Amino acid sequence: MTTPSEAPLDTAEFIRILDREGRLLADAAEQAGTDAKVPTCPEWRVRDLVRHTGAVHRWAAAYVAEGHASRRPLADPPGLDGAELLTWFREGHAKLVRALTSAAPDMECWHFLPAPSPLAFWARRQAHETSVHRYDAEAARGGTPSELSPAFAADGVDELLRGFHARSRSRVRSEEPRVLRVRASDVDDAVWTVRLTQEPPAAERGASGDAECEISGPAAQLYLSLWNRVPFPAASGDHSLAELWRTNSAV
């Protein structure tokens, strides 16, 4: 059964999801312990995950709260660990939620993907940033991960395909033109056509023309698989195209 297409999630909903996901991340990190390995990011321990996400939260909050008009470097996180690190993370996460909640809808600041407004961008981006890393923390803890709504997961697929990989830094390229389809099985109209060339991937909503390979499955699994956290739910057609995506799509 599919979820009917709905209006895009609004900024308030993204902030609510960010609030929830950050709390879940901190709880999972606390339960796992900061020295635990993160299986979805093999080079990281939980402390690295918490430091990274906490630094990103403070970086994002500064744009929203202070209105910086140009890109600023991500500050190095402090060398905290254990309970002190988790307290630092929770404080920064709460600061970000407050900044987004209290910001004026017409506030202006730097942002790096197309969006209806800077506020809409940062709420959406940080909700997805935190959601993916919450999954990482829960993978380190073990047990059943928290669920994502199909609508939110489908939005994350859209942000990744039409936002991140539209940028020049995307490494998913092909010497010969190729066409990949991505389809969520549980959200109506959640299908994307991705054209691969020697330029950055060009993704559009809808099933436009023939595709050599289709990656499909529930939106939440697609979301995590396209962020290289889990295997693709299903792939049909030319599997080498799915592998090309998997091998080169790290953001």
Side-chain angles (χ1 to χ4, degrees):
M1 183 174 182
T2 60
T3 299
S5 294
E6 300 175 353
L9 280 69
D10 63 18
T11 297
E13 179 66 6
F14 283 123
I15 297 172
R16 186 194 68 77
I17 293 169
L18 165 63
D19 188 28
R20 169 184 178 269
E21 295 292 309
R23 293 172 188 272
L24 289 171
L25 190 162
D27 290 347
E30 187 170 38
Q31 293 161 19
T34 55
D35 194 47
K37 293 182 178 180
V38 182
T40 47
C41 302
E43 71 279 13
W44 275 359
R45 303 276 179 166
V46 166
R47 67 174 62 87
D48 303 307
L49 171 66
V50 173
R51 288 170 180 168
H52 166 77
T53 313
V56 170
H57 284 171
R58 282 168 165 75
W59 179 71
Y63 286 110
V64 177
E66 301 169 26
H68 299 299
S70 60
R71 191 185 188 283
R72 295 163 64 88
L74 183 67
D76 291 333
L80 300 173
D81 204 351
E84 289 184 335
L85 175 61
L86 292 169
T87 296
W88 173 84
F89 173 86
R90 289 182 168 112
E91 289 172 351
H93 169 249
K95 180 178 180 180
L96 173 60
V97 171
R98 287 195 302 271
L100 290 165
T101 301
S102 62
D106 61 351
M107 61 84 60
E108 293 291 336
C109 69
W110 178 84
H111 58 291
F112 62 89
L113 296 178
S117 70
L119 180 60
F121 165 80
W122 283 110
R124 181 195 199 197
R125 174 81 289 276
Q126 290 307 301
H128 288 301
E129 173 85 12
T130 308
S131 174
V132 171
H133 288 316
R134 182 271 302 160
Y135 182 83
D136 294 331
E138 291 183 343
R141 179 201 64 195
T144 303
S146 303
E147 293 185 359
L148 290 171
S149 76
F152 175 72
D155 179 82
V157 172
D158 191 77
E159 186 205 40
L160 180 63
L161 296 180
R162 297 203 298 150
F164 274 95
H165 282 291
R167 300 185 300 166
S168 61
R169 66 179 61 185
S170 175
R171 296 184 298 108
V172 186
R173 310 292 176 97
S174 174
E175 291 293 327
E176 300 296 329
R178 308 195 71 180
V179 181
L180 175 69
R181 187 100 69 222
V182 177
R183 186 186 304 271
S185 59
D186 55 350
V187 180
D188 286 349
D189 301 324
V191 56
W192 297 263
T193 300
V194 187
R195 301 183 188 282
L196 303 179
T197 63
Q198 296 180 46
E199 299 298 320
E204 60 186 46
R205 291 296 289 258
S208 174
D210 295 330
E212 300 164 61
C213 176
E214 179 168 302
I215 298 168
S216 61
Q221 292 183 41
L222 276 181
Y223 176 64
L224 291 170
S225 68
L226 289 167
W227 277 107
N228 294 315
R229 264 50 185 192
V230 300
F232 292 131
S236 59
D238 187 345
H239 285 238
S240 70
L241 187 49
E243 185 57 29
L244 178 121
W245 184 276
R246 159 117 13 232
T247 303
N248 295 286
S249 63
V251 173

